[in-house]
Amino acid sequence: MGRDSETTVEGTAGRTKADSPEGSTVLPSVEDLDRRNSAGDAAYLPFGRPNFSDEEIEAVARVMRTGWIGMGPETIAFEKELSRFLGAPHVVTVSSCTWALFLSLLVHGIGPDDEVICPSLTWFSTANAALYLGARPVFCDIDPHTLSVTPETIKEKLTDRTRAVVVVHMGGYAVDVDEIRGILPDGVAIVEDAAHALGSRFADGRPVGSSGNLTCFSFYANKNLSTGEGGAIALHDGELAGRLCSLRQHGLAADAWRRYSNPRCALVPGLKELGYKMNFTDLQACIGRVQLRRQGEFARIRKEIARLYHDALDGRGVTFQKGCLDDGHSRHLFTVLLPLEGLVKSRDEFVLELRRRKIGAAIHYSPLHRMPHYERLCSTSLPNTEFVSQRIITLPISASMGIEDARRVLEEFTEILEASRSVTGRAGTGTISAPGYVKSDGSPGKVTKPVFIVGCGRSGTTFLFNIMKKHPRLRATTGYPDGEDHTGWIKHGGCIISGLGHAHIEKGHTGYHYCLYMDEKDVTPRVVESMHRYYHEDVLGGDGSKRVLNKCPHLSNKLRYVRAIFPDAKFIHIIRDCLPVVSSWIKIMETQPHLVLYLPDDEYPCHWVLPAPPDGERETVLRRHGRIFPGGGVERLVDYWSIVNRNIPLQLLDTPGQLLTVRYEDLCADTAETLRRICRFCEIPSFDEIPEEISIDVTLNNNEKYKTHLTEEQITAFLKRSEVTRSIFGYV
């Protein structure tokens, strides 16, 4: 880095290449970047944008003119330069950080039945690297200040099957890996996920990458050093480095460049082990070499922006990552935690509003342990991770930003923040400061942590409800509170369609059959008071030691509404595979010709069963309303299944700890274990034993029955139509 690392941002304005010392890079000031950005369309500001100069472009052109663009001399040179930068004797470049993690675990001998501890607050690759090898990721909690793992959170998850720990240097904060090594048994490897941490330093000043652990870096488009795609592994062990070089190139002892440039390597040797196609290229490496020389420039810009953010937001209630202004922090991300307790907006609404204003805020991350794919593998509660993930926002920061960009971010952020401050008890905002009601004796009453079972109709909500209502700590109810005056908080006209439901309307039945569109804006102090009173007095009988259990599929698109009334509510999303659900609906509607199924086409829909229109109007009504089954086509049922199940977790993205997804098939196959998982989530004791009267009738719950109602052509078409959602929930 030499003199470049000592040049100040302010001191570079107006310099030309001729003015700069030989071999150095001209460093633009932040003001220069402001002028550069104003020359083009800078309307939308992404959270991380690479900074490429003419020097990178010239390097690419130079390599292309040589005719050798695969892995060759540029890659070798980049690895040597990166080795010096990181203080690691060996660096092996690969095609991505994902594959760097995979290969690192592979050479440590990780395989089936092994456990790999990693944080849940990370990108998918951290956990997937273990899954690719047949191992099981075990998620551990984090320190809410550093957003990173600690020796204590790792120690809680150690078992006799633990074979490795993946330490993520979150956002660029360098975790003390030596301290973690001190609590690990012999034979447990540490792999460092340093995708955010190029340029980070440990507390003693050593660069991240120099520890001796296999340390994995990312050169993705938004990283501090970008080559578009790519990654690298830094390590001390020369023998392991040689094996990694072989594994990245099919398992060959010599790569394509050596076979091309060295006659002795011209013949392809036999393979000694299965390898992969995960190599770097010279096109990437030539960009990386320039980017590496510019790291001093990039670091100064990032620190200046971080300082501006910190100073402007300090004292406004947001929380910063520990050490975000320290010299050892790479500032790949600049994250803040929102003070949600005092805001009327959720974190997701905050992010969407910033994006609407063309500020590319991001979320790092949604916790992996709450995602259906991983939840089936590792059901656990991680309170710090869940707290952080509900509040975290990443503000734009990159070496391509200027001061005016950062000021624009601050202007929009603070405006939204101040406008979102809650007004206690304001009707219709979804922010009731103290949920509950006043009892007849003047004392306060409230319901805590009620449990709601939701899901697509015919997915097993009633089945699970009938099991859970046998629990001695739960008191069951269904639907909405009986006898409540719904005026003012139900949009009655939402699903009253011409030709449908007249009999109910004429009889004055305007209850929950017509509660299609309720959200948090419909929550008033009166609604909160009446629902807490009903649940506490009528359902629980005033017994605060019990929990309310509610089953109502019609609530599946109203989770934010329910949460505004009961902020600590627990939601159990039960999902059943698509084909048996669709088949069940077909059978019901065939045997109930006096009914029709209304499937509203909304962002968060739910189903409604309504009286069929009179015979003389039936065909006209069904043709006019394509969302009605029968009439709109059986594929509408497939879409309904997909949309409802995808949107249940989307409604709770900012509070994922309030949602548990349970597969109907798992409940049938292993009822006892699934119920233990549900009870842990509900924070109630497990069943002492499963009551005999709720033992599963295998015939009634056989998913294969759908074959009697669907043709082979329908099965093929419906599987394709629902493939994305089925994959999300582990059915593919």
Side-chain angles (χ1 to χ4, degrees):
M1 304 293 287
R3 283 168 286 189
D4 292 343
S5 61
E6 299 172 2
T7 307
T8 63
V9 172
E10 293 78 10
T12 60
R15 285 175 56 190
T16 67
K17 196 163 187 175
D19 298 325
S20 62
E22 184 178 350
S24 68
T25 303
V26 178
L27 307 182
S29 68
V30 175
E31 287 74 18
D32 291 335
L33 293 170
D34 286 335
R35 289 190 288 272
R36 179 190 306 170
N37 291 338
S38 66
D41 180 13
Y44 186 86
L45 184 64
F47 97 86
R49 182 174 58 191
N51 182 326
F52 293 139
S53 66
D54 288 345
E55 195 172 352
E56 283 92 343
I57 296 171
E58 291 168 3
V60 171
R62 173 179 56 78
V63 169
M64 292 183 73
R65 291 189 192 102
T66 69
W68 189 273
I69 59 174
M71 187 170 68
E74 288 289 326
T75 301
I76 295 169
F78 179 50
E79 289 176 340
K80 290 179 179 178
E81 291 164 8
L82 190 57
S83 172
R84 290 193 293 270
F85 181 86
L86 297 174
H90 304 281
V91 167
V92 178
T93 53
V94 289
S95 54
S96 71
C97 188
T98 300
W99 295 129
L101 291 164
F102 167 80
L103 291 175
S104 295
L105 293 176
L106 174 65
V107 298
H108 276 306
I110 306 303
D113 299 325
D114 290 340
E115 292 182 354
V116 176
I117 298 174
C118 66
S120 174
L121 195 75
T122 184
W123 186 241
F124 309 106
S125 301
T126 311
N128 287 352
L131 289 175
Y132 296 148
L133 293 164
R136 176 172 170 258
V138 175
F139 297 114
C140 68
D141 214 345
I142 56 169
D143 181 309
H145 305 291
T146 65
L147 312 181
S148 303
V149 300
T150 69
E152 292 73 26
T153 62
I154 291 171
K155 194 172 184 178
E156 290 175 357
K157 299 296 181 178
L158 286 171
T159 72
D160 57 3
R161 291 188 173 184
T162 305
R163 294 293 177 268
V165 175
V166 181
V167 176
V168 177
H169 299 292
M170 176 66 178
Y173 174 87
V175 178
D176 188 342
V177 290
D178 291 339
E179 189 178 13
I180 290 172
R181 166 58 62 201
I183 59 99
L184 295 180
D186 292 341
V188 176
I190 294 178
V191 172
E192 297 177 46
D193 183 340
H196 297 175
L198 188 85
S200 297
R201 291 181 176 272
F202 296 113
D204 61 7
R206 291 176 300 137
V208 169
S210 64
S211 65
N213 302 316
L214 272 64
T215 305
C216 305
F217 294 91
S218 172
F219 308 135
Y220 182 63
N222 58 28
K223 294 300 189 287
N224 293 30
L225 185 157
S226 174
T227 63
E229 287 282 3
I233 306 166
L235 68 164
H236 287 196
D237 189 319
E239 185 176 344
L240 273 185
R243 188 179 175 205
L244 288 166
C245 287
S246 173
L247 286 169
R248 71 179 173 183
Q249 191 82 341
H250 302 292
L252 295 173
D255 58 49
W257 170 250
R258 289 185 176 89
R259 295 195 305 273
Y260 171 79
S261 60
N262 187 343
R264 294 189 178 185
C265 296
L267 300 177
V268 179
L271 293 180
K272 294 184 178 179
E273 65 175 323
L274 179 67
Y276 307 89
K277 187 73 170 97
M278 298 175 176
N279 61 281
F280 210 56
T281 71
D282 276 13
L283 277 179
Q284 296 166 295
C286 69
I287 298 172
R289 295 180 70 191
V290 177
Q291 290 268 294
L292 189 60
R293 291 196 295 270
R294 300 179 66 198
Q295 285 302 294
E297 167 197 353
F298 295 167
R300 285 188 294 279
I301 295 172
R302 286 178 178 272
K303 187 169 186 178
E304 190 169 343
I305 292 169
R307 171 65 69 182
L308 183 65
Y309 284 162
H310 185 279
D311 291 350
L313 296 177
D314 194 20
R316 291 184 177 268
V318 302
T319 304
F320 307 101
Q321 184 185 22
K322 181 180 178 181
C324 65
L325 296 181
D326 291 351
D327 289 341
H329 199 298
S330 70
R331 285 167 282 278
H332 170 60
L333 302 178
F334 189 91
T335 60
V336 297
L337 303 187
L338 291 176
L340 286 187
E341 291 72 16
L343 304 182
V344 300
K345 286 186 182 294
S346 69
R347 188 277 311 279
D348 287 0
E349 290 169 329
F350 209 101
V351 170
L352 291 173
E353 178 62 19
L354 281 168
R355 290 184 176 180
R356 188 184 69 78
R357 299 181 185 209
K358 299 186 177 180
I359 302 297
I363 297 169
H364 292 87
Y365 295 97
S366 295
L368 299 187
H369 76 287
R370 289 300 186 190
M371 295 183 182
H373 181 65
Y374 303 105
E375 193 174 45
R376 294 182 294 108
L377 304 169
C378 182
S379 177
T380 187
S381 176
L382 303 174
N384 289 341
T385 298
E386 289 154 19
F387 177 88
V388 167
S389 66
Q390 294 163 14
R391 294 160 173 78
I392 195 166
I393 285 184
T394 302
L395 298 183
I397 187 168
S398 71
S400 64
M401 284 177 59
I403 286 296
E404 288 308 311
D405 290 325
R407 287 175 180 152
R408 177 181 156 211
V409 172
L410 286 170
E411 180 181 357
E412 301 291 358
F413 182 91
T414 53
E415 183 177 309
I416 298 170
L417 182 66
E418 295 310 314
S420 300
R421 302 289 186 189
S422 65
V423 179
T424 303
R426 185 173 63 186
T429 63
T431 56
I432 308 302
S433 60
Y437 72 103
V438 179
K439 299 179 184 178
S440 57
D441 62 3
S443 63
K446 64 180 294 188
V447 173
T448 59
K449 299 183 179 179
V451 178
F452 293 87
I453 298 175
V454 295
C456 170
R458 313 306 302 168
S459 290
T461 54
T462 301
F463 178 52
L464 178 58
F465 178 76
N466 287 338
I467 296 176
M468 294 304 296
K469 72 181 183 181
K470 301 291 183 180
H471 197 288
R473 289 284 299 278
L474 298 175
R475 292 292 179 267
T477 184
T478 58
Y480 300 102
D482 295 332
E484 182 175 343
D485 180 2
H486 298 85
T487 305
W489 57 277
I490 300 173
K491 301 175 184 177
H492 294 284
C495 75
I496 301 174
I497 307 169
S498 174
L500 297 178
H502 286 307
H504 284 296
I505 297 168
E506 290 167 1
K507 293 178 181 178
H509 295 171
T510 56
Y512 69 81
H513 287 291
Y514 303 106
C515 305
L516 263 182
Y517 307 109
M518 293 188 299
D519 59 27
E520 60 267 42
K521 297 182 182 65
D522 294 306
V523 175
T524 66
R526 180 185 177 190
V527 171
V528 173
E529 180 181 353
S530 61
M531 293 192 78
H532 274 267
R533 183 187 302 276
Y534 174 79
Y535 276 4
H536 191 265
E537 295 185 356
D538 293 13
V539 179
L540 296 180
D543 186 349
S545 68
K546 302 294 192 294
R547 302 273 183 86
V548 172
L549 174 71
N550 185 304
K551 184 274 300 186
C552 186
H554 303 290
L555 288 175
S556 295
N557 67 341
K558 303 171 185 66
L559 305 191
R560 290 172 178 164
Y561 166 83
V562 174
R563 192 180 59 184
I565 301 169
F566 304 106
D568 57 358
K570 300 277 190 176
F571 298 95
I572 301 173
H573 170 202
I574 184 163
I575 181 171
R576 188 181 190 182
D577 204 356
C578 178
L579 296 182
V581 170
V582 172
S583 171
S584 181
W585 274 117
I586 292 172
K587 180 180 178 182
I588 286 177
M589 302 315 292
E590 286 175 350
T591 58
Q592 305 286 331
H594 60 288
L595 299 175
V596 293
L597 183 64
Y598 178 59
L599 305 171
D601 188 13
D602 300 298
E603 182 180 7
Y604 298 114
C606 66
H607 77 272
W608 296 89
V609 178
L610 298 172
D615 289 341
E617 302 175 25
R618 184 180 181 90
E619 294 305 317
T620 301
V621 171
L622 295 184
R623 280 197 304 271
R624 184 165 63 246
H625 301 289
R627 300 303 301 177
I628 297 171
F629 178 83
V634 72
E635 65 275 0
R636 296 293 189 188
L637 288 169
V638 182
D639 294 342
Y640 156 68
W641 178 88
S642 295
I643 295 170
V644 170
N645 285 308
R646 287 204 309 266
N647 284 336
I648 285 174
L650 287 178
Q651 293 172 78
L652 297 174
L653 273 177
D654 59 327
T655 56
Q658 290 183 261
L659 178 67
L660 175 70
T661 300
V662 174
R663 298 202 323 170
Y664 176 89
E665 293 78 9
D666 296 337
L667 183 60
C668 293
D670 192 349
T671 308
E673 176 56 33
T674 305
L675 290 180
R676 280 193 290 271
R677 180 172 161 234
I678 291 172
C679 289
R680 284 197 302 270
F681 170 74
C682 296
E683 300 176 30
I684 57 177
S686 297
F687 283 94
D688 291 333
E689 59 182 18
I690 301 175
E692 292 182 5
E693 60 267 28
I694 61 172
S695 61
I696 298 173
D697 185 325
V698 176
T699 303
L700 289 177
N701 294 294
N702 182 1
N703 268 357
E704 296 296 306
K705 287 173 59 180
Y706 70 82
K707 293 180 179 178
T708 64
H709 300 111
L710 301 177
T711 66
E712 289 298 325
E713 291 76 12
Q714 284 179 317
I715 291 172
T716 301
F718 295 168
L719 287 176
K720 183 173 180 60
R721 195 178 185 98
S722 61
E723 181 178 9
V724 173
T725 307
R726 293 182 77 246
S727 177
I728 290 172
F729 291 97
Y731 288 113
V732 175

